[in-house]
Amino acid sequence: MQVLRASDYRRMPWKNGGGETTEMIVSPPGAGLDTFDWRISMARVASDGPFSVFPGIDRTLTILDGAGIRIAVADKTQSLTVASAPLAFPGDVPTEAWLLDGPVTDFNVM
């Protein structure tokens, strides 16, 4: 068992440079954004825009706080709020999001 402490989380720019993510845990330890096997992170999303592309990686996203986002994955668009079920989607498909009403914090499992 490993205890994860917020003070140990790694903060880094998004892969596409559009914001910042807080990486809670990654495998293998210390892996970069192009070399991880899996990772769990949170991000504060403060503006509309595209998601980073992660070839070969499946993503699951849920909203922790804020009004939510409208997300387009390929040709399917839907709204995600704190009440929504997590959304699973491929990380290598073009994805874009629009804030519903102000910033959100999301939780990602990749």
Side-chain angles (χ1 to χ4, degrees), residues 2-110:
Q2 180 180 358
V3 175
L4 303 175
R5 300 191 190 288
S7 61
D8 295 329
Y9 297 164
R10 185 167 68 160
R11 295 182 70 144
M12 65 185 72
W14 290 348
K15 188 175 178 184
N16 69 8
E20 186 175 77
T21 189
T22 302
E23 185 177 81
M24 302 160 93
I25 190 166
V26 65
S27 178
L33 293 176
D34 290 322
T35 60
F36 66 86
D37 293 328
W38 58 265
R39 100 193 255 262
I40 298 173
S41 63
M42 294 182 302
R44 185 74 173 160
V45 181
S47 62
D48 302 341
F51 275 48
S52 300
V53 176
F54 289 93
I57 299 292
D58 293 324
R59 298 181 73 159
T60 301
L61 177 81
T62 192
I63 303 298
L64 297 176
D65 70 24
I69 60 173
R70 184 103 178 122
I71 186 169
V73 180
D75 61 353
K76 183 180 178 185
T77 303
Q78 68 184 78
S79 292
L80 288 178
T81 68
V82 294
S84 301
L87 175 66
F89 59 99
D92 52 5
V93 172
T95 302
E96 187 144 352
W98 301 269
L99 298 169
L100 296 180
D101 186 22
V104 299
T105 302
D106 66 26
F107 181 79
N108 298 276
V109 177
M110 296 189 230

